[in-house]
Amino acid sequence: RPPQLKPAPPELEWTLVRFPFLSNNPATDRIMARNVGQKGGLRLSRANAAAFVLQQATDTTHLHEAPFISDN
């Protein structure tokens, strides 16, 4: 029997970032964040992935969300 998961306490701040296929392309100035199923790219440079994750440490735009990100 799988363990029961408890809901996160309301004071916990989290963002779950979902990636598509990662590439070695250079960083760009535009990253698209969307819900799964919405139209958009299926590739993301590793540089853009790192930049977005670091940005989420101080940006609350996607707080308590799980955005799918890609190069735009």
Side-chain angles (χ1 to χ4, degrees), residues 13-15 17 19 28-33 44 46-63 67 69-70:
E13 295 182 353
W14 60 269
T15 301
V17 182
F19 300 143
T28 63
D29 60 348
R30 294 182 54 148
I31 300 171
M32 177 183 233
L44 177 68
R46 286 176 171 82
N48 281 350
F52 187 88
V53 169
L54 289 173
Q55 179 186 16
Q56 295 314 298
T58 57
D59 184 349
T60 60
T61 303
H62 298 288
L63 190 63
I69 64 171
S70 64

Side-chain angles (χ1 to χ4, degrees), residues 1-12 14:
R1 181 174 154 189
Q4 295 278 332
L5 298 177
K6 296 180 182 179
E11 66 274 7
L12 181 66
W14 60 269

